[in-house]
Amino acid sequence: MKIVARNRKAFHDYEILEKYEAGIELLGSEVKALRMGRINLKDSYVKINNGEAWWMQGHISNLETTNAHYRHDETRPKKLLLHKKEIGKLVGATSERGYSLIPINLHFNHKNKAKLTVAIAKGKQLHDKRQALKEKTLKREAQSAMKKYI
């Protein structure tokens, strides 16, 4: 599994509750751009319309070598390929409990297909973010102290 892009900001801003792996409906020029790592997941999200999951504002840049006729719209909505039961769970989580659907990472699986990992997430408050940063720095200090004595 080759990870192409990660949404690091998602782990800082959200508490991840559940993850799903979804296929993506892409154009040929988009797949080539993904293989070159020309993607940004930072401000993207997943939206469900009429029983279909859509990846919104995921930015896939065009390559310089792509002909102008074959260039894709960089931020077009892309359809996600999920089972009906999974989409039902996502709809229930977002409508009833008010959770968000965010992309965590994009990777190529063992069959060389592009997959997007989507998470049901709960937004963190400011004090939660501060606590997470404190724990992270304490863990890092403990690791460095252990290295000194080994």
Side-chain angles (χ1 to χ4, degrees):
M1 187 169 83
K2 180 187 173 193
I3 294 179
V4 178
R6 285 193 180 151
N7 190 355
R8 292 190 182 119
K9 192 167 171 70
F11 290 98
H12 179 69
D13 291 340
Y14 297 96
E15 179 184 339
I16 307 301
L17 303 174
E18 204 170 337
K19 296 179 186 178
Y20 294 94
E21 187 178 75
I24 315 167
E25 201 173 86
L26 295 171
L27 302 173
S29 60
E30 290 175 330
V31 175
K32 284 188 171 192
L34 284 180
R35 292 193 191 284
M36 299 294 291
R38 309 282 304 257
I39 180 170
N40 185 3
L41 296 174
K42 191 174 180 183
D43 293 326
S44 61
Y45 60 95
V46 176
K47 188 176 184 181
I48 302 199
N49 285 336
N50 301 328
E52 295 179 337
W54 294 88
W55 177 31
M56 310 297 277
Q57 295 189 3
H59 190 274
I60 301 175
S61 301
N62 284 308
L63 295 175
E64 296 85 26
T65 58
T66 307
N67 188 331
H69 180 70
Y70 295 108
R71 288 184 183 242
H72 59 270
D73 181 20
E74 294 180 342
T75 56
R76 74 174 183 89
K78 294 153 201 69
K79 186 176 180 180
L80 296 179
L81 308 172
L82 290 162
H83 293 284
K84 283 186 180 180
K85 287 182 180 179
E86 291 175 333
I87 292 175
K89 288 180 186 177
L90 296 176
V91 168
T94 55
S95 63
E96 293 173 14
R97 297 183 213 119
Y99 293 147
S100 302
L101 299 175
I102 54 168
I104 294 181
N105 69 30
L106 192 135
H107 63 276
F108 286 98
N109 67 358
H110 67 280
K111 292 182 178 179
N112 237 359
K113 304 279 186 192
K115 301 288 183 177
L116 185 72
T117 305
V118 178
I120 297 175
K122 180 181 177 183
K124 284 186 182 177
Q125 300 293 327
L126 182 62
H127 62 277
D128 293 335
K129 292 179 189 177
R130 288 182 184 152
Q131 184 65 28
L133 283 174
K134 252 187 225 177
E135 290 171 3
K136 191 175 178 181
T137 54
L138 288 174
K139 187 176 178 181
R140 191 179 313 126
E141 288 172 2
Q143 289 284 338
S144 64
M146 293 291 285
K147 282 184 180 179
K148 288 179 184 177
Y149 293 110
I150 292 179

Short mmCIF file of all heavy atoms in Angstrom, two decimals, residues 41-84:
data_model
loop_
_atom_site.label_atom_id
_atom_site.label_comp_id
_atom_site.label_asym_id
_atom_site.label_seq_id
_atom_site.Cartn_x
_atom_site.Cartn_y
_atom_site.Cartn_z
N LEU A 41 -5.20 17.39 0.54
CA LEU A 41 -6.43 16.98 1.25
C LEU A 41 -6.84 17.97 2.33
O LEU A 41 -7.84 17.75 3.01
CB LEU A 41 -6.20 15.62 1.91
CG LEU A 41 -5.93 14.42 1.03
CD1 LEU A 41 -5.60 13.22 1.89
CD2 LEU A 41 -7.11 14.13 0.16
N LYS A 42 -6.10 19.02 2.53
CA LYS A 42 -6.22 19.87 3.71
C LYS A 42 -7.65 20.36 4.01
O LYS A 42 -8.14 20.15 5.10
CB LYS A 42 -5.28 21.06 3.58
CG LYS A 42 -5.12 21.84 4.85
CD LYS A 42 -4.07 22.90 4.69
CE LYS A 42 -3.91 23.69 5.96
NZ LYS A 42 -2.96 24.77 5.79
N ASP A 43 -8.30 21.01 3.09
CA ASP A 43 -9.61 21.59 3.37
C ASP A 43 -10.76 20.82 2.73
O ASP A 43 -11.84 21.35 2.53
CB ASP A 43 -9.65 23.05 2.90
CG ASP A 43 -8.73 23.93 3.71
OD1 ASP A 43 -8.59 23.67 4.92
OD2 ASP A 43 -8.13 24.86 3.14
N SER A 44 -10.53 19.58 2.38
CA SER A 44 -11.58 18.81 1.71
C SER A 44 -12.49 18.12 2.71
O SER A 44 -12.14 17.96 3.88
CB SER A 44 -10.95 17.80 0.75
OG SER A 44 -10.15 16.90 1.44
N TYR A 45 -13.64 17.70 2.24
CA TYR A 45 -14.62 17.02 3.07
C TYR A 45 -15.46 16.10 2.20
O TYR A 45 -15.36 16.12 0.98
CB TYR A 45 -15.51 18.03 3.81
CG TYR A 45 -16.30 18.94 2.90
CD1 TYR A 45 -17.61 18.64 2.55
CD2 TYR A 45 -15.74 20.11 2.39
CE1 TYR A 45 -18.34 19.46 1.72
CE2 TYR A 45 -16.45 20.94 1.56
CZ TYR A 45 -17.74 20.62 1.24
OH TYR A 45 -18.46 21.44 0.41
N VAL A 46 -16.28 15.27 2.84
CA VAL A 46 -17.15 14.34 2.13
C VAL A 46 -18.59 14.75 2.39
O VAL A 46 -18.97 15.06 3.53
CB VAL A 46 -16.91 12.88 2.58
CG1 VAL A 46 -17.88 11.93 1.92
CG2 VAL A 46 -15.47 12.48 2.28
N LYS A 47 -19.40 14.75 1.34
CA LYS A 47 -20.80 15.15 1.42
C LYS A 47 -21.64 14.04 0.80
O LYS A 47 -21.23 13.42 -0.17
CB LYS A 47 -20.99 16.46 0.66
CG LYS A 47 -22.32 17.08 0.81
CD LYS A 47 -22.33 18.41 0.08
CE LYS A 47 -23.64 19.11 0.30
NZ LYS A 47 -23.70 20.39 -0.41
N ILE A 48 -22.83 13.81 1.35
CA ILE A 48 -23.71 12.77 0.82
C ILE A 48 -24.94 13.43 0.22
O ILE A 48 -25.67 14.14 0.91
CB ILE A 48 -24.07 11.75 1.90
CG1 ILE A 48 -22.80 11.16 2.43
CG2 ILE A 48 -25.05 10.73 1.37
CD1 ILE A 48 -22.83 9.91 3.15
N ASN A 49 -25.15 13.19 -1.10
CA ASN A 49 -26.30 13.72 -1.83
C ASN A 49 -27.03 12.58 -2.53
O ASN A 49 -26.41 11.83 -3.27
CB ASN A 49 -25.86 14.73 -2.91
CG ASN A 49 -25.45 16.05 -2.32
OD1 ASN A 49 -25.86 16.41 -1.23
ND2 ASN A 49 -24.61 16.76 -3.05
N ASN A 50 -28.32 12.46 -2.30
CA ASN A 50 -29.16 11.47 -2.98
C ASN A 50 -28.60 10.05 -2.90
O ASN A 50 -28.58 9.33 -3.89
CB ASN A 50 -29.37 11.86 -4.45
CG ASN A 50 -30.04 13.21 -4.59
OD1 ASN A 50 -30.85 13.59 -3.76
ND2 ASN A 50 -29.68 13.93 -5.62
N GLY A 51 -28.11 9.67 -1.76
CA GLY A 51 -27.60 8.32 -1.58
C GLY A 51 -26.24 8.07 -2.22
O GLY A 51 -25.82 6.93 -2.36
N GLU A 52 -25.53 9.12 -2.60
CA GLU A 52 -24.20 8.99 -3.18
C GLU A 52 -23.22 9.84 -2.38
O GLU A 52 -23.55 10.95 -1.96
CB GLU A 52 -24.18 9.47 -4.64
CG GLU A 52 -25.01 8.64 -5.58
CD GLU A 52 -24.99 9.17 -6.99
OE1 GLU A 52 -24.70 10.37 -7.18
OE2 GLU A 52 -25.25 8.39 -7.91
N ALA A 53 -22.01 9.31 -2.18
CA ALA A 53 -20.98 10.04 -1.44
C ALA A 53 -20.11 10.80 -2.43
O ALA A 53 -19.70 10.27 -3.46
CB ALA A 53 -20.13 9.08 -0.63
N TRP A 54 -19.83 12.08 -2.13
CA TRP A 54 -19.01 12.93 -2.99
C TRP A 54 -17.87 13.52 -2.18
O TRP A 54 -18.07 14.02 -1.08
CB TRP A 54 -19.86 14.06 -3.58
CG TRP A 54 -20.89 13.57 -4.53
CD1 TRP A 54 -22.16 13.16 -4.22
CD2 TRP A 54 -20.74 13.40 -5.93
NE1 TRP A 54 -22.80 12.76 -5.36
CE2 TRP A 54 -21.96 12.90 -6.42
CE3 TRP A 54 -19.71 13.64 -6.82
CZ2 TRP A 54 -22.16 12.62 -7.76
CZ3 TRP A 54 -19.91 13.36 -8.15
CH2 TRP A 54 -21.13 12.87 -8.62
N TRP A 55 -16.69 13.52 -2.77
CA TRP A 55 -15.51 14.13 -2.16
C TRP A 55 -15.41 15.55 -2.70
O TRP A 55 -15.21 15.76 -3.89
CB TRP A 55 -14.29 13.30 -2.52
CG TRP A 55 -12.99 13.83 -2.03
CD1 TRP A 55 -12.77 14.55 -0.90
CD2 TRP A 55 -11.71 13.66 -2.65
NE1 TRP A 55 -11.44 14.83 -0.77
CE2 TRP A 55 -10.78 14.31 -1.83
CE3 TRP A 55 -11.29 13.03 -3.80
CZ2 TRP A 55 -9.43 14.34 -2.15
CZ3 TRP A 55 -9.95 13.06 -4.10
CH2 TRP A 55 -9.03 13.71 -3.29
N MET A 56 -15.57 16.53 -1.83
CA MET A 56 -15.63 17.93 -2.23
C MET A 56 -14.31 18.63 -1.90
O MET A 56 -13.71 18.39 -0.86
CB MET A 56 -16.77 18.64 -1.50
CG MET A 56 -18.10 17.92 -1.58
SD MET A 56 -18.74 17.76 -3.22
CE MET A 56 -19.50 19.32 -3.41
N GLN A 57 -13.90 19.53 -2.77
CA GLN A 57 -12.75 20.41 -2.64
C GLN A 57 -11.42 19.68 -2.44
O GLN A 57 -10.50 20.23 -1.85
CB GLN A 57 -12.97 21.43 -1.52
CG GLN A 57 -14.09 22.38 -1.83
CD GLN A 57 -14.17 23.51 -0.85
OE1 GLN A 57 -13.35 23.62 0.05
NE2 GLN A 57 -15.16 24.36 -1.02
N GLY A 58 -11.33 18.46 -2.92
CA GLY A 58 -10.04 17.78 -2.93
C GLY A 58 -9.27 18.31 -4.13
O GLY A 58 -9.73 18.25 -5.26
N HIS A 59 -8.09 18.86 -3.90
CA HIS A 59 -7.34 19.53 -4.95
C HIS A 59 -6.31 18.59 -5.57
O HIS A 59 -5.37 18.17 -4.91
CB HIS A 59 -6.65 20.78 -4.38
CG HIS A 59 -6.05 21.65 -5.42
ND1 HIS A 59 -4.79 21.44 -5.91
CD2 HIS A 59 -6.55 22.71 -6.08
CE1 HIS A 59 -4.52 22.36 -6.82
NE2 HIS A 59 -5.58 23.14 -6.94
N ILE A 60 -6.50 18.24 -6.84
CA ILE A 60 -5.54 17.44 -7.60
C ILE A 60 -5.02 18.33 -8.72
O ILE A 60 -5.76 18.69 -9.64
CB ILE A 60 -6.19 16.16 -8.19
CG1 ILE A 60 -6.76 15.30 -7.06
CG2 ILE A 60 -5.18 15.38 -9.00
CD1 ILE A 60 -7.53 14.10 -7.54
N SER A 61 -3.75 18.71 -8.63
CA SER A 61 -3.16 19.63 -9.61
C SER A 61 -2.95 18.96 -10.95
O SER A 61 -2.73 17.75 -11.04
CB SER A 61 -1.81 20.14 -9.10
OG SER A 61 -1.97 20.80 -7.88
N ASN A 62 -2.97 19.78 -12.00
CA ASN A 62 -2.67 19.29 -13.34
C ASN A 62 -1.16 19.16 -13.51
O ASN A 62 -0.38 19.91 -12.92
CB ASN A 62 -3.19 20.27 -14.40
CG ASN A 62 -4.67 20.17 -14.58
OD1 ASN A 62 -5.21 19.10 -14.78
ND2 ASN A 62 -5.36 21.31 -14.47
N LEU A 63 -0.75 18.22 -14.34
CA LEU A 63 0.66 18.09 -14.70
C LEU A 63 0.98 19.06 -15.82
O LEU A 63 0.11 19.41 -16.63
CB LEU A 63 0.95 16.66 -15.15
CG LEU A 63 0.80 15.57 -14.09
CD1 LEU A 63 1.01 14.21 -14.71
CD2 LEU A 63 1.78 15.78 -12.97
N GLU A 64 2.24 19.49 -15.90
CA GLU A 64 2.65 20.41 -16.96
C GLU A 64 2.60 19.73 -18.33
O GLU A 64 2.41 20.38 -19.35
CB GLU A 64 4.08 20.91 -16.71
CG GLU A 64 4.24 21.73 -15.45
CD GLU A 64 4.47 20.87 -14.23
OE1 GLU A 64 4.99 19.74 -14.35
OE2 GLU A 64 4.09 21.31 -13.13
N THR A 65 2.79 18.42 -18.36
CA THR A 65 2.84 17.68 -19.62
C THR A 65 1.47 17.34 -20.19
O THR A 65 1.37 16.85 -21.30
CB THR A 65 3.62 16.37 -19.43
OG1 THR A 65 3.00 15.61 -18.41
CG2 THR A 65 5.06 16.66 -19.06
N THR A 66 0.40 17.60 -19.43
CA THR A 66 -0.95 17.27 -19.89
C THR A 66 -1.40 18.26 -20.96
O THR A 66 -1.26 19.47 -20.80
CB THR A 66 -1.94 17.31 -18.71
OG1 THR A 66 -1.45 16.49 -17.66
CG2 THR A 66 -3.30 16.81 -19.13
N ASN A 67 -1.94 17.73 -22.04
CA ASN A 67 -2.48 18.55 -23.11
C ASN A 67 -3.65 19.37 -22.58
O ASN A 67 -4.43 18.89 -21.75
CB ASN A 67 -2.94 17.65 -24.25
CG ASN A 67 -3.33 18.42 -25.49
OD1 ASN A 67 -3.76 19.55 -25.42
ND2 ASN A 67 -3.17 17.78 -26.63
N ALA A 68 -3.81 20.60 -23.06
CA ALA A 68 -4.88 21.49 -22.59
C ALA A 68 -6.26 20.88 -22.82
O ALA A 68 -7.19 21.14 -22.05
CB ALA A 68 -4.77 22.84 -23.29
N HIS A 69 -6.41 20.08 -23.83
CA HIS A 69 -7.70 19.46 -24.13
C HIS A 69 -8.09 18.42 -23.07
O HIS A 69 -9.27 18.22 -22.81
CB HIS A 69 -7.64 18.79 -25.51
CG HIS A 69 -8.91 18.13 -25.92
ND1 HIS A 69 -10.05 18.85 -26.24
CD2 HIS A 69 -9.24 16.83 -26.02
CE1 HIS A 69 -11.02 18.01 -26.54
NE2 HIS A 69 -10.56 16.76 -26.42
N TYR A 70 -7.11 17.77 -22.46
CA TYR A 70 -7.37 16.69 -21.51
C TYR A 70 -7.24 17.13 -20.05
O TYR A 70 -7.33 16.31 -19.15
CB TYR A 70 -6.41 15.52 -21.75
CG TYR A 70 -6.63 14.87 -23.08
CD1 TYR A 70 -5.70 15.02 -24.11
CD2 TYR A 70 -7.76 14.11 -23.33
CE1 TYR A 70 -5.91 14.43 -25.34
CE2 TYR A 70 -7.98 13.52 -24.56
CZ TYR A 70 -7.04 13.69 -25.56
OH TYR A 70 -7.26 13.11 -26.77
N ARG A 71 -7.02 18.41 -19.81
CA ARG A 71 -6.87 18.88 -18.42
C ARG A 71 -8.20 18.78 -17.67
O ARG A 71 -9.26 19.05 -18.22
CB ARG A 71 -6.37 20.31 -18.39
CG ARG A 71 -4.93 20.41 -18.78
CD ARG A 71 -4.42 21.82 -18.65
NE ARG A 71 -3.05 21.83 -19.11
CZ ARG A 71 -2.02 22.14 -18.35
NH1 ARG A 71 -2.21 22.50 -17.11
NH2 ARG A 71 -0.81 22.12 -18.84
N HIS A 72 -8.11 18.44 -16.41
CA HIS A 72 -9.30 18.31 -15.57
C HIS A 72 -9.45 19.55 -14.69
O HIS A 72 -8.49 20.28 -14.46
CB HIS A 72 -9.19 17.05 -14.68
CG HIS A 72 -7.99 17.05 -13.80
ND1 HIS A 72 -6.78 16.52 -14.19
CD2 HIS A 72 -7.81 17.52 -12.54
CE1 HIS A 72 -5.91 16.66 -13.21
NE2 HIS A 72 -6.51 17.26 -12.20
N ASP A 73 -10.67 19.75 -14.20
CA ASP A 73 -10.91 20.81 -13.22
C ASP A 73 -10.29 20.35 -11.91
O ASP A 73 -10.59 19.26 -11.41
CB ASP A 73 -12.41 21.05 -13.06
CG ASP A 73 -12.73 22.15 -12.08
OD1 ASP A 73 -11.84 22.97 -11.80
OD2 ASP A 73 -13.87 22.19 -11.59
N GLU A 74 -9.42 21.16 -11.32
CA GLU A 74 -8.61 20.72 -10.18
C GLU A 74 -9.42 20.45 -8.92
O GLU A 74 -9.03 19.63 -8.10
CB GLU A 74 -7.50 21.74 -9.92
CG GLU A 74 -6.51 21.80 -11.05
CD GLU A 74 -5.40 22.80 -10.83
OE1 GLU A 74 -5.56 23.69 -9.97
OE2 GLU A 74 -4.37 22.69 -11.50
N THR A 75 -10.52 21.14 -8.71
CA THR A 75 -11.29 20.96 -7.47
C THR A 75 -12.70 20.43 -7.73
O THR A 75 -13.59 20.65 -6.92
CB THR A 75 -11.40 22.30 -6.70
OG1 THR A 75 -11.98 23.27 -7.56
CG2 THR A 75 -10.05 22.76 -6.21
N ARG A 76 -12.88 19.73 -8.83
CA ARG A 76 -14.22 19.22 -9.14
C ARG A 76 -14.64 18.18 -8.09
O ARG A 76 -13.80 17.49 -7.52
CB ARG A 76 -14.25 18.61 -10.54
CG ARG A 76 -13.56 17.27 -10.65
CD ARG A 76 -13.76 16.65 -12.02
NE ARG A 76 -13.14 15.34 -12.07
CZ ARG A 76 -13.73 14.21 -11.73
NH1 ARG A 76 -14.98 14.22 -11.33
NH2 ARG A 76 -13.09 13.06 -11.79
N PRO A 77 -15.95 18.06 -7.83
CA PRO A 77 -16.42 17.00 -6.91
C PRO A 77 -16.20 15.62 -7.52
O PRO A 77 -16.48 15.42 -8.70
CB PRO A 77 -17.91 17.28 -6.74
CG PRO A 77 -18.18 18.55 -7.43
CD PRO A 77 -17.02 18.92 -8.26
N LYS A 78 -15.68 14.71 -6.72
CA LYS A 78 -15.40 13.36 -7.20
C LYS A 78 -16.29 12.37 -6.46
O LYS A 78 -16.40 12.44 -5.24
CB LYS A 78 -13.93 13.02 -6.99
CG LYS A 78 -13.00 13.87 -7.83
CD LYS A 78 -11.66 14.00 -7.15
CE LYS A 78 -10.89 15.18 -7.62
NZ LYS A 78 -11.42 16.47 -7.22
N LYS A 79 -16.89 11.46 -7.20
CA LYS A 79 -17.80 10.47 -6.61
C LYS A 79 -16.99 9.39 -5.88
O LYS A 79 -15.99 8.90 -6.40
CB LYS A 79 -18.66 9.84 -7.69
CG LYS A 79 -19.72 8.92 -7.18
CD LYS A 79 -20.58 8.44 -8.32
CE LYS A 79 -21.65 7.51 -7.82
NZ LYS A 79 -22.49 7.03 -8.91
N LEU A 80 -17.44 9.04 -4.68
CA LEU A 80 -16.81 7.97 -3.92
C LEU A 80 -17.62 6.70 -4.08
O LEU A 80 -18.84 6.73 -4.13
CB LEU A 80 -16.73 8.35 -2.44
CG LEU A 80 -15.85 9.54 -2.10
CD1 LEU A 80 -15.89 9.82 -0.62
CD2 LEU A 80 -14.43 9.32 -2.56
N LEU A 81 -16.91 5.59 -4.17
CA LEU A 81 -17.55 4.29 -4.39
C LEU A 81 -17.62 3.54 -3.07
O LEU A 81 -16.61 3.04 -2.57
CB LEU A 81 -16.77 3.51 -5.44
CG LEU A 81 -16.49 4.27 -6.74
CD1 LEU A 81 -15.55 3.50 -7.62
CD2 LEU A 81 -17.78 4.59 -7.46
N LEU A 82 -18.80 3.49 -2.49
CA LEU A 82 -19.06 2.81 -1.22
C LEU A 82 -20.30 1.94 -1.35
O LEU A 82 -21.14 2.16 -2.22
CB LEU A 82 -19.30 3.83 -0.10
CG LEU A 82 -18.11 4.66 0.37
CD1 LEU A 82 -18.59 5.88 1.12
CD2 LEU A 82 -17.21 3.83 1.24
N HIS A 83 -20.43 0.95 -0.46
CA HIS A 83 -21.63 0.13 -0.42
C HIS A 83 -22.78 0.92 0.19
O HIS A 83 -22.58 1.87 0.95
CB HIS A 83 -21.37 -1.13 0.42
CG HIS A 83 -20.39 -2.07 -0.20
ND1 HIS A 83 -20.71 -2.89 -1.27
CD2 HIS A 83 -19.10 -2.32 0.09
CE1 HIS A 83 -19.66 -3.59 -1.60
NE2 HIS A 83 -18.66 -3.27 -0.80
N LYS A 84 -24.02 0.52 -0.13
CA LYS A 84 -25.20 1.22 0.38
C LYS A 84 -25.26 1.21 1.90
O LYS A 84 -25.65 2.20 2.53
CB LYS A 84 -26.48 0.61 -0.18
CG LYS A 84 -26.77 1.00 -1.59
CD LYS A 84 -28.12 0.47 -2.04
CE LYS A 84 -28.40 0.87 -3.47
NZ LYS A 84 -29.70 0.39 -3.93
#
